[in-house]
Amino acid sequence: MKLKHFLTALLILISSIGFSQLKTITNQTSYPFWINVPKAESTEKQPVLIFLHGKSLSGTDLNRVRRYGVLHAMDKGRKIPAIVVAPQLAKGSWNPDKVLEILEYVKKNYNVDESRIYVCGMSLGGYGTLHFAGKHADKITAAVAICGGGNVSDGCKLSTIPLWIQHGDKDYIVPMSESQKVVNAIRKCNEKANLIFSIIKGGNHGNVERLFHEDALYNWLFEQKRE
C-alpha cells in the first residue's frame, strides 16, 4: 500500500508541474483571476489569452474556474503558448470595462505582445467575449465565442476583428438564434468581415466544452496577428 500511495503522490506531482507557474491575483483588479505565464516570458514577448467562464462557475471560490474551459484543458495537460488569464465573476454579467482593467494590469506587469491579444468564452462567457470585443475591439486581436450571444448594435465594431462564433444546434439553454443574430448583424455591416460561424451538429449547452480540449480553437486564435 505504501508503494501505491507513493506512486499516487508522484503522479499528482508530475501532473502539477505544468501548472507550476499558475497563480491567483486578487485585490489588484475588480475581478480576481488566475494567470499562467510561460517560462519564456522573461525573455520574449508573449500573447495573452483571456478566458471568460459561464454562469455556473461564478462565485468567490477561484478554484471553480478550473472546472471547465481553458484552465480545465491545461489541468489535463494542454500546453498553451500564451499568458493565460482567467478571471472570476462573483455574480451577474461580465463588465467589458472590468475585463479591460485586467488586460491593462497584465500589460503593465508582464512582457506582453500587444499584437496578439485574444479572448474566448462559453455561455455567459460567450456573451462576455462579444460584449468585450464589441466595446473594446481596438484592444484585442481576435475572439472566440461559444454558445453565447451579443449586442446586435455592436455588429460594425465586431466586424473589425477576426471572430469565430460557435453554437450547438441542440442547445436548449441558450438557443443558437442568439449567436445567429450577432452573426447577421456583423455580416450586414460588412459581408467580408473575418467571421466564422460554426454550427455544431448535436451540440448542446454542455458538450461543446470539448472545443477547449481540441487544437482547432487555439490554432486559429494564435494564427491571428494585428498589424
Side-chain angles (χ1 to χ4, degrees), residues 49-147:
L49 175 59
I50 301 171
F51 167 69
L52 302 181
H53 65 72
K55 184 177 180 180
S56 67
L57 304 190
S58 299
T60 56
D61 177 5
L62 268 168
N63 284 310
R64 293 177 68 87
V65 184
R66 294 171 71 163
R67 291 185 179 180
Y68 69 69
V70 174
L71 293 191
H72 184 49
M74 293 175 72
D75 270 337
K76 293 174 76 69
R78 176 166 290 276
K79 307 301 182 189
I80 298 179
I83 298 171
V84 175
V85 180
Q88 186 180 39
L89 180 67
K91 60 182 180 180
S93 300
W94 289 103
N95 182 317
D97 295 328
K98 292 181 180 179
V99 177
L100 179 62
E101 182 187 356
I102 290 176
L103 175 58
E104 294 300 332
Y105 175 90
V106 172
K107 286 163 60 175
K108 180 179 179 181
N109 291 279
Y110 298 90
N111 197 10
V112 170
D113 180 352
E114 295 193 32
S115 70
R116 301 180 70 205
I117 294 175
Y118 313 101
V119 60
C120 65
M122 177 176 171
S123 190
L124 183 68
Y127 281 93
T129 294
L130 292 180
H131 290 160
F132 178 61
K135 187 169 186 180
H136 300 295
D138 59 319
K139 302 291 185 181
I140 62 176
T141 306
V144 173
I146 299 171
C147 64

